[in-house]
mmCIF file of all heavy atoms in Angstrom:
data_model
loop_
_atom_site.group_PDB
_atom_site.id
_atom_site.type_symbol
_atom_site.label_atom_id
_atom_site.label_comp_id
_atom_site.label_asym_id
_atom_site.label_seq_id
_atom_site.Cartn_x
_atom_site.Cartn_y
_atom_site.Cartn_z
ATOM 1 N N HIS A 1 95.362 94.509 72.076
ATOM 2 C CA HIS A 1 96.640 94.445 71.350
ATOM 3 C C HIS A 1 97.493 95.655 71.709
ATOM 4 O O HIS A 1 98.686 95.519 72.055
ATOM 5 C CB HIS A 1 96.384 94.398 69.851
ATOM 6 C CG HIS A 1 97.621 94.324 69.014
ATOM 7 N ND1 HIS A 1 98.416 93.202 68.949
ATOM 8 C CD2 HIS A 1 98.218 95.249 68.215
ATOM 9 C CE1 HIS A 1 99.439 93.423 68.145
ATOM 10 N NE2 HIS A 1 99.343 94.656 67.691
ATOM 11 N N ALA A 2 96.912 96.851 71.660
ATOM 12 C CA ALA A 2 97.645 98.073 72.024
ATOM 13 C C ALA A 2 97.965 98.087 73.514
ATOM 14 O O ALA A 2 99.046 98.529 73.922
ATOM 15 C CB ALA A 2 96.828 99.307 71.642
ATOM 16 N N MET A 3 97.042 97.595 74.343
ATOM 17 C CA MET A 3 97.281 97.565 75.783
ATOM 18 C C MET A 3 98.489 96.699 76.121
ATOM 19 O O MET A 3 99.343 97.075 76.931
ATOM 20 C CB MET A 3 96.038 97.061 76.513
ATOM 21 C CG MET A 3 94.866 98.011 76.490
ATOM 22 S SD MET A 3 93.457 97.303 77.393
ATOM 23 C CE MET A 3 92.213 98.570 77.109
ATOM 24 N N ALA A 4 98.567 95.532 75.502
ATOM 25 C CA ALA A 4 99.705 94.644 75.752
ATOM 26 C C ALA A 4 101.008 95.296 75.295
ATOM 27 O O ALA A 4 102.049 95.173 75.958
ATOM 28 C CB ALA A 4 99.490 93.315 75.029
ATOM 29 N N ARG A 5 100.941 96.001 74.167
ATOM 30 C CA ARG A 5 102.135 96.653 73.632
ATOM 31 C C ARG A 5 102.644 97.737 74.585
ATOM 32 O O ARG A 5 103.846 97.974 74.696
ATOM 33 C CB ARG A 5 101.824 97.255 72.261
ATOM 34 C CG ARG A 5 103.042 97.792 71.527
ATOM 35 C CD ARG A 5 102.739 98.098 70.078
ATOM 36 N NE ARG A 5 101.801 99.202 69.929
ATOM 37 C CZ ARG A 5 100.576 99.101 69.462
ATOM 38 N NH1 ARG A 5 100.109 97.915 69.103
ATOM 39 N NH2 ARG A 5 99.803 100.155 69.338
ATOM 40 N N HIS A 6 101.725 98.395 75.298
ATOM 41 C CA HIS A 6 102.117 99.486 76.197
ATOM 42 C C HIS A 6 102.087 99.074 77.668
ATOM 43 O O HIS A 6 102.190 99.936 78.549
ATOM 44 C CB HIS A 6 101.207 100.694 75.975
ATOM 45 C CG HIS A 6 101.390 101.335 74.639
ATOM 46 N ND1 HIS A 6 102.517 102.059 74.303
ATOM 47 C CD2 HIS A 6 100.600 101.359 73.543
ATOM 48 C CE1 HIS A 6 102.402 102.512 73.063
ATOM 49 N NE2 HIS A 6 101.261 102.081 72.576
ATOM 50 N N GLY A 7 101.937 97.784 77.939
ATOM 51 C CA GLY A 7 102.026 97.294 79.316
ATOM 52 C C GLY A 7 100.859 97.670 80.201
ATOM 53 O O GLY A 7 101.032 97.879 81.408
ATOM 54 N N VAL A 8 99.648 97.754 79.648
ATOM 55 C CA VAL A 8 98.456 98.082 80.428
ATOM 56 C C VAL A 8 97.604 96.825 80.581
ATOM 57 O O VAL A 8 97.147 96.256 79.594
ATOM 58 C CB VAL A 8 97.626 99.188 79.753
ATOM 59 C CG1 VAL A 8 96.374 99.481 80.567
ATOM 60 C CG2 VAL A 8 98.459 100.449 79.574
ATOM 61 N N ASP A 9 97.400 96.389 81.820
ATOM 62 C CA ASP A 9 96.560 95.232 82.113
ATOM 63 C C ASP A 9 95.257 95.732 82.716
ATOM 64 O O ASP A 9 95.209 96.123 83.889
ATOM 65 C CB ASP A 9 97.278 94.294 83.089
ATOM 66 C CG ASP A 9 96.526 92.986 83.301
ATOM 67 O OD1 ASP A 9 95.302 92.966 83.084
ATOM 68 O OD2 ASP A 9 97.162 91.984 83.701
ATOM 69 N N ALA A 10 94.186 95.749 81.923
ATOM 70 C CA ALA A 10 92.905 96.292 82.372
ATOM 71 C C ALA A 10 92.290 95.471 83.496
ATOM 72 O O ALA A 10 91.400 95.948 84.202
ATOM 73 C CB ALA A 10 91.931 96.382 81.206
ATOM 74 N N GLY A 11 92.750 94.235 83.673
ATOM 75 C CA GLY A 11 92.239 93.406 84.751
ATOM 76 C C GLY A 11 92.911 93.687 86.075
ATOM 77 O O GLY A 11 92.390 93.325 87.135
ATOM 78 N N LYS A 12 94.071 94.346 86.047
ATOM 79 C CA LYS A 12 94.824 94.632 87.274
ATOM 80 C C LYS A 12 94.921 96.120 87.581
ATOM 81 O O LYS A 12 94.989 96.511 88.750
ATOM 82 C CB LYS A 12 96.225 94.041 87.167
ATOM 83 C CG LYS A 12 96.252 92.519 87.086
ATOM 84 C CD LYS A 12 97.687 92.004 86.996
ATOM 85 C CE LYS A 12 97.708 90.482 86.946
ATOM 86 N NZ LYS A 12 99.102 89.962 86.839
ATOM 87 N N ALA A 13 94.966 96.961 86.549
ATOM 88 C CA ALA A 13 95.080 98.407 86.760
ATOM 89 C C ALA A 13 93.820 98.928 87.439
ATOM 90 O O ALA A 13 92.713 98.737 86.937
ATOM 91 C CB ALA A 13 95.295 99.118 85.425
ATOM 92 N N THR A 14 93.958 99.565 88.597
ATOM 93 C CA THR A 14 92.806 100.074 89.338
ATOM 94 C C THR A 14 92.670 101.580 89.151
ATOM 95 O O THR A 14 93.643 102.294 88.937
ATOM 96 C CB THR A 14 92.925 99.756 90.834
ATOM 97 O OG1 THR A 14 94.121 100.340 91.357
ATOM 98 C CG2 THR A 14 92.951 98.252 91.060
ATOM 99 N N VAL A 15 91.423 102.057 89.236
ATOM 100 C CA VAL A 15 91.131 103.474 89.061
ATOM 101 C C VAL A 15 90.188 103.918 90.171
ATOM 102 O O VAL A 15 89.570 103.098 90.838
ATOM 103 C CB VAL A 15 90.492 103.744 87.682
ATOM 104 C CG1 VAL A 15 91.479 103.425 86.577
ATOM 105 C CG2 VAL A 15 89.222 102.906 87.495
ATOM 106 N N ARG A 16 90.069 105.216 90.330
ATOM 107 C CA ARG A 16 89.184 105.735 91.364
ATOM 108 C C ARG A 16 88.568 107.047 90.930
ATOM 109 O O ARG A 16 89.118 107.787 90.105
ATOM 110 C CB ARG A 16 89.928 105.920 92.681
ATOM 111 C CG ARG A 16 91.090 106.890 92.643
ATOM 112 C CD ARG A 16 91.756 106.980 93.993
ATOM 113 N NE ARG A 16 90.795 107.409 94.999
ATOM 114 C CZ ARG A 16 90.915 107.138 96.298
ATOM 115 N NH1 ARG A 16 91.928 106.413 96.735
ATOM 116 N NH2 ARG A 16 90.018 107.577 97.149
ATOM 117 N N SER A 17 87.409 107.351 91.502
ATOM 118 C CA SER A 17 86.738 108.627 91.287
ATOM 119 C C SER A 17 85.863 108.879 92.510
ATOM 120 O O SER A 17 84.900 108.138 92.742
ATOM 121 C CB SER A 17 85.876 108.589 90.013
ATOM 122 O OG SER A 17 85.211 109.824 89.812
ATOM 123 N N PRO A 18 86.196 109.895 93.324
ATOM 124 C CA PRO A 18 85.408 110.183 94.535
ATOM 125 C C PRO A 18 83.941 110.410 94.224
ATOM 126 O O PRO A 18 83.576 110.797 93.102
ATOM 127 C CB PRO A 18 86.059 111.471 95.064
ATOM 128 C CG PRO A 18 87.441 111.465 94.490
ATOM 129 C CD PRO A 18 87.312 110.829 93.135
ATOM 130 N N LYS A 19 83.104 110.182 95.204
ATOM 131 C CA LYS A 19 81.664 110.305 95.019
ATOM 132 C C LYS A 19 81.316 111.681 94.470
ATOM 133 O O LYS A 19 81.677 112.713 95.032
ATOM 134 C CB LYS A 19 80.947 110.073 96.352
ATOM 135 C CG LYS A 19 79.428 110.053 96.220
ATOM 136 C CD LYS A 19 78.777 109.724 97.558
ATOM 137 C CE LYS A 19 77.258 109.676 97.414
ATOM 138 N NZ LYS A 19 76.615 109.343 98.708
ATOM 139 N N SER A 20 80.619 111.689 93.353
ATOM 140 C CA SER A 20 80.234 112.948 92.713
ATOM 141 C C SER A 20 79.165 112.675 91.669
ATOM 142 O O SER A 20 78.925 111.525 91.292
ATOM 143 C CB SER A 20 81.444 113.617 92.049
ATOM 144 O OG SER A 20 81.944 112.783 91.011
ATOM 145 N N ARG A 21 78.547 113.738 91.204
ATOM 146 C CA ARG A 21 77.597 113.613 90.105
ATOM 147 C C ARG A 21 78.317 114.001 88.823
ATOM 148 O O ARG A 21 78.930 115.074 88.739
ATOM 149 C CB ARG A 21 76.375 114.513 90.331
ATOM 150 C CG ARG A 21 75.260 114.232 89.327
ATOM 151 C CD ARG A 21 73.919 114.741 89.816
ATOM 152 N NE ARG A 21 72.844 114.352 88.900
ATOM 153 C CZ ARG A 21 72.255 113.170 88.897
ATOM 154 N NH1 ARG A 21 72.632 112.237 89.769
ATOM 155 N NH2 ARG A 21 71.284 112.898 88.034
ATOM 156 N N THR A 22 78.268 113.137 87.832
ATOM 157 C CA THR A 22 79.029 113.356 86.615
ATOM 158 C C THR A 22 78.294 112.715 85.441
ATOM 159 O O THR A 22 77.222 112.144 85.612
ATOM 160 C CB THR A 22 80.444 112.755 86.760
ATOM 161 O OG1 THR A 22 81.226 113.079 85.602
ATOM 162 C CG2 THR A 22 80.401 111.238 86.927
ATOM 163 N N THR A 23 78.863 112.831 84.261
ATOM 164 C CA THR A 23 78.299 112.157 83.086
ATOM 165 C C THR A 23 79.141 110.925 82.786
ATOM 166 O O THR A 23 80.297 110.824 83.216
ATOM 167 C CB THR A 23 78.292 113.076 81.861
ATOM 168 O OG1 THR A 23 79.651 113.385 81.505
ATOM 169 C CG2 THR A 23 77.523 114.367 82.143
ATOM 170 N N TYR A 24 78.586 110.006 82.032
ATOM 171 C CA TYR A 24 79.344 108.812 81.657
ATOM 172 C C TYR A 24 80.575 109.198 80.834
ATOM 173 O O TYR A 24 81.649 108.611 80.997
ATOM 174 C CB TYR A 24 78.452 107.857 80.854
ATOM 175 C CG TYR A 24 77.339 107.260 81.673
ATOM 176 C CD1 TYR A 24 76.042 107.769 81.605
ATOM 177 C CD2 TYR A 24 77.582 106.189 82.524
ATOM 178 C CE1 TYR A 24 75.025 107.229 82.374
ATOM 179 C CE2 TYR A 24 76.564 105.639 83.290
ATOM 180 C CZ TYR A 24 75.284 106.171 83.214
ATOM 181 O OH TYR A 24 74.288 105.633 83.982
ATOM 182 N N HIS A 25 80.422 110.195 79.976
ATOM 183 C CA HIS A 25 81.558 110.653 79.176
ATOM 184 C C HIS A 25 82.687 111.147 80.063
ATOM 185 O O HIS A 25 83.842 110.729 79.919
ATOM 186 C CB HIS A 25 81.110 111.771 78.226
ATOM 187 C CG HIS A 25 82.244 112.583 77.690
ATOM 188 N ND1 HIS A 25 83.103 112.117 76.718
ATOM 189 C CD2 HIS A 25 82.676 113.834 78.013
ATOM 190 C CE1 HIS A 25 84.010 113.042 76.457
ATOM 191 N NE2 HIS A 25 83.771 114.078 77.230
ATOM 192 N N ASN A 26 82.369 112.047 81.007
ATOM 193 C CA ASN A 26 83.416 112.600 81.873
ATOM 194 C C ASN A 26 84.037 111.531 82.760
ATOM 195 O O ASN A 26 85.252 111.541 83.002
ATOM 196 C CB ASN A 26 82.839 113.727 82.727
ATOM 197 C CG ASN A 26 82.542 114.983 81.921
ATOM 198 O OD1 ASN A 26 83.149 115.201 80.863
ATOM 199 N ND2 ASN A 26 81.620 115.804 82.394
ATOM 200 N N LEU A 27 83.214 110.605 83.253
ATOM 201 C CA LEU A 27 83.754 109.551 84.106
ATOM 202 C C LEU A 27 84.702 108.649 83.323
ATOM 203 O O LEU A 27 85.786 108.294 83.806
ATOM 204 C CB LEU A 27 82.626 108.731 84.705
ATOM 205 C CG LEU A 27 83.075 107.621 85.677
ATOM 206 C CD1 LEU A 27 83.711 108.227 86.921
ATOM 207 C CD2 LEU A 27 81.907 106.721 86.063
ATOM 208 N N LEU A 28 84.307 108.276 82.107
ATOM 209 C CA LEU A 28 85.180 107.445 81.285
ATOM 210 C C LEU A 28 86.509 108.129 81.034
ATOM 211 O O LEU A 28 87.575 107.519 81.173
ATOM 212 C CB LEU A 28 84.495 107.125 79.955
ATOM 213 C CG LEU A 28 83.544 105.932 79.942
ATOM 214 C CD1 LEU A 28 82.725 105.921 78.660
ATOM 215 C CD2 LEU A 28 84.307 104.620 80.085
ATOM 216 N N ARG A 29 86.474 109.403 80.646
ATOM 217 C CA ARG A 29 87.707 110.132 80.398
ATOM 218 C C ARG A 29 88.597 110.152 81.652
ATOM 219 O O ARG A 29 89.805 109.943 81.571
ATOM 220 C CB ARG A 29 87.400 111.569 79.972
ATOM 221 C CG ARG A 29 86.793 111.702 78.589
ATOM 222 C CD ARG A 29 87.773 111.340 77.512
ATOM 223 N NE ARG A 29 87.267 111.674 76.186
ATOM 224 C CZ ARG A 29 87.527 110.973 75.110
ATOM 225 N NH1 ARG A 29 88.271 109.895 75.195
ATOM 226 N NH2 ARG A 29 87.057 111.332 73.941
#
């Protein structure tokens, strides 16, 4: 509901994170 209100499509918006060792918390953020 909030995503639609702010124009964020989680099915289309792409993200990236170069190969590294991290925690799930840091990666999510």
